[in-house]
Amino acid sequence: MPVDFRYKGLGYVVLNVSDIERSTAFATDVFGLDLVGEAEDGSRFFRSGSQHHDIILAPAKSPAFARGAWQLETDADVDKAFAHYQRIGLSPEWLGDSEAAKLKIEKAFRVVEPVLKTTHEYFSKMTYISSPRKNRLTKFQGGKHYGLAVPDCQAVTRYMVENMGFLVSDYLEGGFAALLRAFPNPNHHSFAPLQLPGGGKTGFHHVAFMVEEIDDIGKFFNRIKKYNARIQFGIGRHPTSGSIHLYAYDDDFFVWEYTLGMEQFPETGAREPRRMSSNPEDFDLWGAVPDREFAGRNPRFLTAE
């Protein structure tokens, strides 16, 4: 089912973390984000550019994915999206003015999609910060995406394409992974459902920020070593998006990625999705191999329940 609203892109992601100070240190000192401020409940806002925030870290007893928030192009698109989800039988709920103000956003609602039962937030505007970032470790490009480990990738992909306005850019043979773009945002993908070996539950997989130059990835590699963090995947190059990548674990076993050079899709005349080989030798153009401990065997593998 085609939708009548248009995405600007991924606005931000909210993660529950077990130690807010430790997670803040990783987000700023290792990953290179600016700490913008703290909410009354102890949640902290971080930015990579001029938007007020790109990620919120919330203190909690257990680490978990909380929600993804999507910015649409206009106020009218938000109204259209709300009406669309009502038409297909979901129960979107508007955020009150007070909550939206605390999040520095306007005209926002949340809806729970029925396949994974994860929360998606939609909004039209976020506070713009004109002062330059203080953290100069990295030159962020502005684009970002996130991935979830899912029990049934094909079911998630089908629902998001048929009901949520996403398009498939590429998918892995066997249906175990798909890379979805939030139309008409040109980035190769803004969301990735991934069916991991030995999985079965919904879990947070990774969050990724696009950077401007290869030096950003090289410096990130050395900061990972300096702060005794751990690499999950990379340095490598994805055969799907063409991106150069580097993934690292934080202390909650969340994975954070730098990505450079992602394929851009035109709004019209885009190529068809490719069925990508699942052979191990085809997984990375530079021969990088992901840490297999992440494939559900670690006891800290996170659910969004």
Side-chain angles (χ1 to χ4, degrees):
M1 175 191 300
V3 301
D4 58 355
F5 58 89
R6 293 166 59 90
Y7 288 89
K8 186 173 183 180
L10 177 62
Y12 66 96
V13 170
V14 183
L15 301 176
N16 294 337
V17 298
S18 63
D19 186 324
I20 190 67
E21 297 300 337
R22 187 176 61 188
S23 295
T24 296
F26 181 90
T28 56
D29 298 341
V30 181
F31 205 73
L33 301 176
D34 272 30
L35 174 61
V36 179
E38 183 172 316
E40 294 176 356
D41 64 357
S43 298
R44 293 182 179 177
F45 300 83
F46 300 84
R47 70 172 175 131
S48 67
S50 297
Q51 293 282 81
H52 181 269
H53 59 276
D54 299 278
I55 194 164
I56 298 175
L57 300 181
K61 291 182 179 179
S62 301
F65 172 75
R67 69 180 182 274
W70 302 95
Q71 186 170 11
L72 301 185
E73 289 187 346
T74 66
D75 286 355
D77 285 304
V78 178
D79 285 328
K80 292 175 182 177
F82 189 92
H84 166 78
Y85 286 122
Q86 284 186 318
R87 281 196 303 272
I88 64 174
L90 303 188
S91 301
E93 296 184 2
W94 291 106
L95 270 65
D97 292 342
S98 176
E99 184 175 7
K102 291 177 181 178
L103 292 169
K104 303 295 183 180
I105 58 178
E106 284 184 16
K107 200 171 186 67
F109 72 87
R110 292 184 190 139
V111 65
V112 177
E113 54 79 22
V115 180
L116 293 177
K117 295 180 172 55
T118 53
T119 299
H120 293 263
E121 182 176 283
Y122 290 85
F123 67 94
S124 63
K125 296 180 181 67
M126 179 184 286
T127 296
Y128 181 93
I129 298 177
S130 57
S131 57
R133 291 198 313 118
K134 296 178 182 179
N135 194 327
R136 311 305 293 175
L137 291 175
T138 298
K139 298 175 183 177
F140 290 103
Q141 184 264 0
K144 49 193 175 288
H145 68 265
Y146 72 99
L148 295 181
V150 302
D152 188 337
C153 177
Q154 293 184 62
V156 174
T157 299
R158 187 181 310 112
Y159 189 86
M160 296 187 75
V161 169
E162 293 179 354
N163 298 286
M164 297 181 69
F166 286 78
L167 297 177
V168 178
S169 298
D170 290 308
Y171 62 96
L172 193 67
E173 62 181 354
F176 297 107
L179 299 167
L180 311 181
R181 63 188 188 276
F183 185 81
N185 182 285
N187 291 338
H188 180 275
H189 56 282
S190 295
F191 178 73
L194 305 163
Q195 191 171 326
L196 301 181
K201 290 186 177 181
T202 301
F204 182 73
H205 190 274
H206 72 284
V207 63
F209 285 68
M210 296 168 68
V211 297
E212 291 191 356
E213 56 190 32
I214 191 66
D215 286 0
D216 294 317
I217 291 181
K219 292 175 182 178
F220 182 37
F221 177 87
N222 286 318
R223 289 196 303 276
I224 292 169
K225 298 295 186 181
K226 176 181 178 181
Y227 288 97
N228 296 314
R230 180 175 162 192
I231 291 173
Q232 192 269 333
F233 188 19
I235 299 173
R237 187 162 200 149
H238 291 306
T240 49
S241 64
S243 303
I244 299 171
H245 63 80
L246 177 59
Y247 299 69
Y249 294 109
D250 69 9
D251 290 295
D252 274 329
F253 212 61
F254 289 140
V255 176
W256 302 60
E257 178 193 5
Y258 274 15
T259 180
L260 171 69
M262 178 176 284
E263 180 183 4
Q264 300 293 287
F265 280 72
E267 185 169 340
T268 60
R271 66 166 175 82
E272 290 294 310
R274 296 174 298 190
R275 173 188 167 101
M276 304 298 293
S277 169
S278 60
N279 293 331
E281 62 267 26
D282 297 322
F283 197 66
D284 188 89
L285 295 176
W286 293 358
V289 178
D291 176 19
R292 295 195 58 81
E293 185 180 5
F294 191 76
R297 291 192 291 270
N298 190 286
R300 290 185 293 172
F301 185 68
L302 309 171
T303 68
E305 298 173 345

